[in-house]
């Protein structure tokens, strides 16, 4: 048994098998604690825009998913896994979100093993606990999105890389290639991990053949990635309509905000909508975490700890790469989102730093403060009510529509409603029609500049009226976005005034977007 106070050199742990690390009861306290914290709340809210988009993608075949992603901004691995997971677990909110929870638990185990294998048990428990209970992880466990998968694969990649640099072997080389391919097939930002990985290999490879083996494996991974390159190029051409919104949240201070998002109660952008502490407490927290980070840097330098240096290099390069790309070319850096895949490295490095505090009581005190703060923020996050929710509009349509009715979605209203209403026998249409290509991206200014919205509105309503059965109704799910103005004006002007029925409630809207939504019911148009 390794005593917590010992710093055992990593080479002395070689004889300890992998399963021996999994026997630590405190690891399972952390893993089961994370499950217990989240499982009871995972079905509490409807799927919001991005989640519902993932759910709709998972309903398609693998081939159809890959074709549809030409109008997206990401790779296919998560959607492919979600497609398979849906067939096994179903597609309730709990079933779909449980894949994110599973990935997060896997990441906790990888982080624990990585720290225990190369440092000590105490650092492992600290790093695993930091990742498991930080509010940012809690937020992404409750989303049907690829972020916890990216974090798990990123942590696994670095673990295998560290194993290879310690004792090179054929299987570690192969695993580096396979997991690295998984990272870049999960999120395009995974490519920004690779310069840091290559730098670490260059600095710490013991022999030239070790470096050569990894390079050959990397070339092999590129060969397997090559079939995706045409889709990636198509995504880049469509970026004006898909990721242009990211520019609204880009800031030269994004790097600093990232570390604020990593800690409980820190400052976060509106798309995360995480509770935060008052500014004074945030400043105290920032000072505490900066101190821990500095301790980790000092300890890594004094001990010439190449594993800690490797973690730091990949953390910094993985953040600086997309930051510089956003600064020089196109904003792609989203605080608390595109940087989430690097959270395991932050937790590993700061867990290492906490374990280097010379006073055990101070270490315990820091862990208690973290758990109290994280517990408070997690409680606020999981139990609060949303002022706007898709639930009201979903329930209304479930009760009042009949098979054959058409629901015309405007802007971003479609994903959540289509996911919930799929079994109602309804027909779904989008306005503008181009929104059929990607249901979760809306660049209003592009549509208003490049599409004649008056003609588009007339054409959409005319086509619907020609193909709708007698006695069926048209339901327009709308909001006051400028892009919807032409459609709503046409409904009122073309002798439809007497046929219009507007339905709305104070809580009817798009959750997280804080966008009020209302329904307009029409009979078959003449």
């Amino acid at each position: 048994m390794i005593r917590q106070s010992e710093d055992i050199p990593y080479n002395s742990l070689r004889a300890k098998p992998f399963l021996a690390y999994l026997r630590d009861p405190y690891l399972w306290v952390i893993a089961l604690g994370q499950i217990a914290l989240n499982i009871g709340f995972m079905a509490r809210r409807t799927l919001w825009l991005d989640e519902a988009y993932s759910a709709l993608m998972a309903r398609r075949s693998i081939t159809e998913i890959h074709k549809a992603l030409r109008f997206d901004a990401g790779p296919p691995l998560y959607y492919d896994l979600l497609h398979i997971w849906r067939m096994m677990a179903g597609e309730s909110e709990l079933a779909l979100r449980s894949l994110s929870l599973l990935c997060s638990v896997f990441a906790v185990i990888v982080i624990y093993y990585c720290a225990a294998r190369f440092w000590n048990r105490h650092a492992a428990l600290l790093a695993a606990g930091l990742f498991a209970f930080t509010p940012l992880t809690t937020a992404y466990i409750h989303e049907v999105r690829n972020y916890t998968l990216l974090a798990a694969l990123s942590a696994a990649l670095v673990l295998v890389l560290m194993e290879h640099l310690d004792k090179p072997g054929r299987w570690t080389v192969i695993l580096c290639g396979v997991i690295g391919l998984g990272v870049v097939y999960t999120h395009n930002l995974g490519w920004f991990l690779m310069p840091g990985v290559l730098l670490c290999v260059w600095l710490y490879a013991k022999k030239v053949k070790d470096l050569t083996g990894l390079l050959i494996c990397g070339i092999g991974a590129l060969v397997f990635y090559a079939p995706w390159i045409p889709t990636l190029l198509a995504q880049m051409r469509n970026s004006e309509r898909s990721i242009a919104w990211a520019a609204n949240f880009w800031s030269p201070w994004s790097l600093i905000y990232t570390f604020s998002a990593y800690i409980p109660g820190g400052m976060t952008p509106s798309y995360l909508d995480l509770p935060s502490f008052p500014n004074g407490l945030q400043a105290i927290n920032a000072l505490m975490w900066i101190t821990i980070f500095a301790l980790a840097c000092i300890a890594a330098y004094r001990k010439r700890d190449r594993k800690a240096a490797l973690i730091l290099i990949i953390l910094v390069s993985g953040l600086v790469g997309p930051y510089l790309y956003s600064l020089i070319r196109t904003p792609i850096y989203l605080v608390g989102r595109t940087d989430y895949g690097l959270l395991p490295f932050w937790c590993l490095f700061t867990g290492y730093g906490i374990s280097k505090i010379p006073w055990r009581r101070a270490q315990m005190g820091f862990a208690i403060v973290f758990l109290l703060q994280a517990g408070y923020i997690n409680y606020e996050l999981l139990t609060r009510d949303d002022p706007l929710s898709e639930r009201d509009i979903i329930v209304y349509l479930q009760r009042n529509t009949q098979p054959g009715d058409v629901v015309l979605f405007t802007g971003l209203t479609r994903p959540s409603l289509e996911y919930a209403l799929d079994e109602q026998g309804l027909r779904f249409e989008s306005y503008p029609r181009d929104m059929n290509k990607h249901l979760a991206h809306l660049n209003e200014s592009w549509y208003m500049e490049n599409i004649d919205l008056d003609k588009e509105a007339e054409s959409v309503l005319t086509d619907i009226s020609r193909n709708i059965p007698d006695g069926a109704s048209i339901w327009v799910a709308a909001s006051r976005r400028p892009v919807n103005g032409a459609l709503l004006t046409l409904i009122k002007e073309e002798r439809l005034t007497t046929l219009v029925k507007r339905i709305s409630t104070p809580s009817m809207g798009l959750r997280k977007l804080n966008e009020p939504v209302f329904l307009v019911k029409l009979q078959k148009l003449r």
Side-chain angles (χ1 to χ4, degrees):
M1 179 66 68
I2 301 173
R3 288 166 38 203
Q4 293 183 8
S5 59
E6 292 177 332
D7 266 335
I8 303 297
Y10 53 81
N11 286 330
S12 68
L13 297 177
R14 172 56 63 184
K16 193 172 182 181
F18 172 75
L19 291 179
Y21 291 95
L22 301 187
R23 294 172 189 157
D24 188 340
Y26 290 103
L27 167 62
W28 295 106
V29 168
I30 293 172
L32 293 175
Q34 184 183 50
I35 294 172
L37 171 68
N38 292 283
I39 195 73
F41 297 94
M42 292 176 66
R44 186 169 181 263
R45 295 181 174 90
T46 57
L47 300 189
W48 78 286
L49 171 67
D50 287 358
E51 293 182 281
Y53 172 74
S54 297
L56 293 176
M57 289 289 283
R59 288 176 176 173
R60 306 183 184 205
S61 67
I62 299 295
T63 302
E64 290 172 340
I65 289 172
H66 291 202
K67 289 181 180 178
L69 286 175
R70 292 176 62 86
F71 302 97
D72 196 284
L77 181 59
Y78 175 76
Y79 298 115
D80 294 346
L81 291 177
L82 189 64
H83 171 80
I84 298 169
W85 183 260
R86 170 186 171 271
M87 292 191 294
M88 296 187 299
E91 61 170 11
S92 66
E93 285 90 347
L94 176 60
L96 293 174
R97 288 170 177 152
S98 61
L99 179 59
S100 296
L101 176 60
L102 180 65
C103 292
S104 184
V105 171
F106 177 76
V108 167
I109 294 172
V110 171
I111 290 168
Y112 173 89
Y113 174 73
C114 188
R117 165 72 179 83
F118 295 108
W119 296 320
N120 57 66
R121 178 171 177 259
H122 197 206
L125 292 173
L126 287 165
L130 290 175
F131 181 85
F133 301 116
T134 193
L136 196 57
T137 292
T138 301
Y140 284 126
I141 285 173
H142 290 257
E143 292 203 3
V144 188
R145 299 296 288 164
N146 60 0
Y147 300 109
T148 59
L149 175 63
L150 178 63
L153 290 176
S154 299
L157 174 62
V158 173
L159 169 61
V160 175
L161 177 64
M162 291 165 72
E163 289 278 8
H164 179 77
L165 293 177
D166 183 39
K167 189 176 180 180
R170 180 184 304 172
W171 283 109
T172 52
V173 168
I174 294 173
L175 284 173
C176 278
V178 171
I179 298 172
L181 189 63
V183 169
V184 296
Y185 262 121
T186 299
H187 202 294
N188 290 332
L189 271 295
W191 284 109
F192 288 98
L193 285 178
M194 301 310 157
V197 169
L198 291 175
L199 178 59
C200 290
V201 170
W202 177 261
L203 291 175
Y204 297 120
K206 296 178 180 179
K207 298 178 182 178
V208 174
K209 68 176 184 179
D210 302 336
L211 177 61
T212 303
L214 283 174
L215 288 176
I216 292 174
C217 190
I219 293 172
L222 286 174
V223 171
F224 282 100
Y225 187 81
W228 185 251
I229 291 177
T231 303
L232 176 63
L233 295 176
Q235 290 177 344
M236 295 174 69
R237 289 192 294 270
N238 291 323
S239 62
E240 187 177 2
R241 279 176 281 178
S242 58
I243 62 171
W245 65 273
N248 299 327
F249 296 97
W250 160 249
S251 164
W253 301 100
S254 291
L255 276 176
I256 296 175
Y257 291 147
T258 282
F259 296 110
S260 177
Y262 282 174
I263 64 178
M267 185 184 307
T268 58
S270 58
Y271 52 76
L272 287 176
D273 197 26
L274 284 171
S276 59
F277 289 130
N279 292 338
L281 184 54
Q282 286 191 40
I284 294 172
N285 274 353
L287 180 61
M288 181 170 59
W289 286 89
I290 289 171
T291 302
I292 294 299
F293 196 84
L295 284 174
C297 291
I298 293 171
Y301 175 77
R302 287 180 175 175
K303 294 179 177 293
R304 299 294 190 269
D305 191 326
R306 67 176 186 172
K307 299 300 189 293
L310 183 149
I311 294 293
L312 182 60
I313 289 171
I314 296 178
L315 172 64
V316 172
S317 65
L319 291 174
V320 170
Y323 175 85
L324 292 177
Y325 187 91
S326 299
L327 191 66
I328 297 170
R329 191 170 179 183
T330 303
I332 58 173
Y333 193 116
L334 291 170
V335 172
R337 181 171 290 187
T338 55
D339 53 8
Y340 180 74
L342 293 157
L343 180 63
F345 310 135
W346 163 261
C347 294
L348 281 166
F349 197 71
T350 52
Y352 171 79
I354 297 168
S355 71
K356 298 306 176 185
I357 298 176
W359 305 285
R360 182 55 53 83
R361 290 184 179 179
Q363 297 179 23
M364 186 63 68
F366 182 92
I368 291 173
V369 168
F370 167 79
L371 289 174
L372 290 174
Q373 291 186 347
Y376 172 78
I377 297 297
N378 285 330
Y379 175 80
E380 290 291 315
L381 172 65
L382 297 176
T383 60
R384 69 184 178 185
D385 292 322
D386 293 304
L388 293 175
S389 170
E390 296 87 355
R391 193 175 301 279
D392 277 9
I393 193 170
I394 288 170
V395 170
Y396 188 92
L397 287 171
Q398 286 173 335
R399 291 175 178 174
N400 293 280
T401 56
Q402 59 182 354
D405 283 1
V406 174
V407 183
L408 176 59
F409 299 102
T410 67
L412 298 171
T413 58
R414 182 167 178 171
S416 299
L417 303 188
E418 182 178 343
Y419 159 77
L421 300 170
D422 184 59
E423 297 181 355
Q424 294 288 112
L426 306 175
R427 181 174 138 212
F428 305 122
E429 300 287 347
S430 286
Y431 168 86
R433 282 196 185 94
D434 186 73
M435 291 293 294
N436 286 308
K437 297 177 181 177
H438 193 294
L439 306 181
H441 289 156
L442 174 62
N443 185 343
E444 276 193 283
S445 60
W446 187 91
Y447 286 116
M448 298 180 76
E449 291 173 5
N450 294 278
I451 295 179
D452 187 332
L453 293 175
D454 292 321
K455 289 184 178 180
E456 180 82 353
E458 183 176 358
S459 175
V460 167
L461 287 177
T462 300
D463 288 347
I464 292 174
S465 65
R466 286 174 179 171
N467 297 288
I468 191 171
D470 290 335
S473 298
I474 302 171
W475 301 81
V476 182
S479 67
R480 288 298 178 188
R481 284 181 177 270
V483 73
N484 299 333
L487 178 68
L488 297 176
T489 299
L490 180 63
I491 289 173
K492 291 181 179 181
E493 289 180 350
E494 294 296 314
R495 293 180 296 170
L496 304 175
T497 306
T498 58
L499 304 178
V500 173
K501 182 178 180 182
R502 175 172 168 150
I503 304 101
S504 63
T505 70
S507 61
M508 188 181 286
L510 297 182
R511 185 167 66 86
K512 277 203 172 184
L513 299 183
N514 293 318
E515 182 176 341
V517 174
F518 56 89
L519 285 174
V520 175
K521 182 182 178 183
L522 311 175
Q523 300 301 320
K524 182 176 180 179
L525 308 184
R526 297 169 185 168

